[in-house]
Amino acid sequence: MRVIVIGAGVLGASAAFHAALAGAQVVLVDQAHDGRATAAGAGIVCPWLSEASDPEWHRIATARARYLPTLAGRLAGFDEHELGFRRVGALSVSRSEGDLDRIEGLVRVRQAGAPEVGEVSRLGPPQASLLFPPLHPELAAVHVSGGMRVDGRLLAAALCRAMQRQGGTLRRGTAKLLTDGKRVAGAWVGSEPMEADAVILAAGAWAPALLAPLGLTLAIEPQRGQITHLRIEGMETGGWPVVLPPGNHYLLAFEGGRVVAGATRERGAGFDCRVTATGQAEVLNQALAVAPGLGRATMIETRGGFRPLGPDARPLLGAAAGMDGLVIGNGMGPSGLTIGPFAGRLLAQVALGQPSDLPLAAYDPLRLRTGASTSDADAIR
Ligand SMILES: Cc1cc2nc3c(=O)[nH]c(=O)nc-3n(C[C@H](O)[C@H](O)[C@H](O)COP(=O)(O)OP(=O)(O)OC[C@H]3O[C@@H](n4cnc5c(N)ncnc54)[C@H](O)[C@@H]3O)c2cc1C
C-alpha cells in the first residue's frame, strides 16, 4: 500500500513512522515552514494536571501519555535515543491552599483511571524549591511524579529517520493534493505528481489552504506562541520537574542548565512568526514572578510557532467524509507534543484500513462546531 504523508511535524512524522512500520510504502513530504509548531513546542507531557474538562480530550491525551514510553522504546530499537524524553515529575504551584486542594482533588480522580500519573503529594514551599531551586519561596505545590517532558524537534527528527530506515522516503518540498474530484489520488510534490492509495494530511496550521481547492473547510487557525530558552550557568537541570502555575504559562528544564519559559497564546497574528517585545515581556514577567531565581539566567534563544487551533480542545482526526483516500490530522493546539505521536499512529491505522486503537467518532476532522467546551483549549498546557 502506498501512503503519502504531508507535513513532518510531530503528527505527520509519527503517522509516517507507524505506516512504514506496518509495511506501507511511505513518502513523507515537508516544506519546513518558519513557525512550524513542533520546532517551537515546549515539550510538557502531563495532561492530568490540566483544568480542561472535556472527557474526549482527556481520553486521547491520557492514552498518548501512556504510549510515550512505549514509543521511546520502539525508537531505541532504531538506535534513536536522543528524544529529550524524561519522566521528571510536575509541580502545580500556587500560594493558595484552596487552589492546591482543588488541583489535588482533580488529579486524584484522574489517578484512579491512569496509574501512569504516579504518586501525588503535597509539598510546602521549602520542599518545592528543593525540586526547582529558582522557585518563588512562597509557592507550595501538588507534585505528580508521572509528569514527563520531551523535545519535539528531537522526537520528530528521530521518527523521520526511523521511518527512512524502515524503507520510507523523506522529500523536502511543497505538496498539494492530487484529486479527481471524488477522491484524493495522491499529491503533487512540486511539479511532480505522485499517486498513492491514501494521503495523510498533517500540515498543521497551513492545512486549510490545501483543502480549500477541494471545497473542504478545515476549522483551523494559527495561534502564535512565543517561548524563551534560558540557561543557568554551571547547574545541572535535567531532573527538574515541569512547573505549572495558575494560568497557562509554565516552566520546564532540560539537561545542561536549559530552562524553557512559555508561552504566549496570540490569536489574530496570522502567519507572522516574529518574536515581539510584548510577547517576550509577557513570557519573562510571568516566568520571573514564579521563579525569581531565574533573574540571573542567560537568555539563549527565543522561538515562535503556530499552534494549529481547532474549534474546541479535541484534535481533528480521521478519514475525510465524502473524499475517499484522504485522512486528516490536525487541531492539537497546545497539546500536540502530548497527543501527536499517538495520534499519528491512529492516522496510520485509518489510512491502512486497520481498526484504530481509539474510536475516532468524537474527533471528526471536518467538524466546524461541536458540543465540546471551547474554553478548554485555553486551560490546556
Ligand atoms: C510555543 C509553543 C509551545 C508548545 N508547548 C507544548 C507543550 O509543552 N506540550 C504539548 O503537548 N504541545 C505543545 N505545543 C503544541 C505542539 O507543538 C503542536 O500542537 C504540535 O507541534 C503540532 O504538530 P503538527 O505536526 O500538527 O504541526 P507542525 O509541527 O506545525 O507541522 C506541520 C508541518 O507541515 C508542513 N507543511 C505545511 N504545508 C505543507 C505543504 N503544502 N507541503 C509540505 N509540507 C507542508 C510544515 O512545513 C510543517 O513542518 C506548543 C506549541 C507552541 C507553538
Side-chain angles (χ1 to χ4, degrees):
M1 178 146 184
R2 299 159 306 168
V3 175
I4 295 175
V5 182
I6 302 178
V10 68
L11 183 56
S14 169
F17 169 68
H18 286 100
L21 260 192
Q25 291 169 37
V26 178
V27 177
L28 171 60
V29 190
D30 191 70
Q31 198 174 332
H33 283 92
D34 286 343
R36 55 199 187 277
T38 301
I44 299 169
V45 180
C46 187
W48 318 289
L49 282 170
S50 162
E51 299 205 39
S53 58
D54 182 5
E56 292 300 340
W57 181 83
H58 276 285
R59 196 191 310 275
I60 194 164
T62 297
R64 155 64 177 120
R66 194 168 287 158
Y67 183 60
L68 186 54
T70 308
L71 179 61
R74 262 185 203 152
L75 287 169
F78 286 86
D79 234 5
E80 296 292 350
H81 304 281
E82 298 298 318
L83 312 176
F85 168 63
R86 190 155 165 185
R87 197 184 296 275
V88 289
L91 295 174
S92 181
V93 298
S94 177
R95 286 183 175 77
S96 151
E97 287 298 317
D99 269 0
L100 294 176
D101 287 346
R102 194 173 42 78
I103 300 274
E104 184 182 352
L106 268 180
V107 77
R108 287 205 183 276
V109 170
R110 289 169 187 161
Q111 185 187 31
E116 49 286 345
V117 167
E119 286 173 27
V120 178
S121 50
R122 279 294 267 272
L123 304 182
Q127 298 157 297
S129 294
L130 271 181
L131 294 181
F132 196 96
L135 202 64
H136 194 289
E138 289 170 6
L139 288 169
V142 175
H143 180 250
V144 171
S145 69
M148 297 171 271
R149 48 85 166 153
V150 68
D151 181 322
R153 292 183 180 193
L154 294 180
L155 176 59
L159 286 164
C160 286
R161 283 190 299 267
M163 181 271 308
Q164 288 171 286
R165 269 184 230 126
Q166 194 62 23
T169 306
L170 177 63
R171 295 274 302 263
R172 289 290 167 213
T174 304
K176 286 185 188 149
L177 295 170
L178 178 62
T179 170
D180 64 12
K182 290 197 185 101
R183 67 179 296 273
V184 167
W188 292 93
V189 180
S191 56
E192 182 191 343
M194 293 183 72
E195 292 195 349
D197 302 296
V199 174
I200 299 176
L201 180 60
W206 296 270
L210 279 96
L211 290 172
L214 280 61
L216 298 176
T217 302
L218 192 68
I220 288 294
E221 64 168 295
Q223 182 196 57
R224 183 166 68 183
Q226 300 185 43
I227 195 161
T228 307
H229 289 228
L230 307 168
R231 187 172 55 237
I232 305 183
E233 307 296 341
M235 194 166 261
E236 190 36 63
T237 47
W240 288 11
V242 169
V243 174
L244 302 170
N248 53 30
H249 283 255
Y250 49 76
L251 295 162
L252 68 158
F254 290 89
E255 280 70 19
R258 182 178 289 254
V259 175
V260 180
T264 64
R265 293 188 179 199
E266 303 166 70
R267 296 176 77 168
F271 283 101
D272 173 2
C273 74
R274 286 174 308 121
V275 167
T276 64
T278 307
Q280 287 304 300
E282 176 187 321
V283 169
L284 290 174
N285 285 333
Q286 294 274 350
L288 292 174
V290 173
L294 291 173
R296 289 171 49 77
T298 310
M299 281 207 35
I300 52 173
E301 198 181 343
T302 57
R303 296 180 184 176
F306 302 113
R307 300 179 189 91
L309 200 64
D312 51 53
R314 294 177 195 175
L316 311 178
L317 295 175
M323 191 57 72
D324 287 351
L326 178 62
V327 178
I328 296 174
N330 214 308
M332 298 185 299
S335 50
L337 301 181
T338 303
I339 293 173
F342 179 64
R345 176 179 156 93
L346 301 176
L347 295 179
Q349 289 167 337
V350 175
L352 299 180
Q354 299 171 350
S356 61
D357 287 348
L358 196 75
L360 292 177
Y363 309 104
D364 174 9
L366 294 175
R367 70 184 187 278
L368 301 180
R369 285 162 200 264
T370 164
S373 164
T374 48
S375 61
D376 268 355
D378 285 333
I380 293 167
R381 286 180 284 198

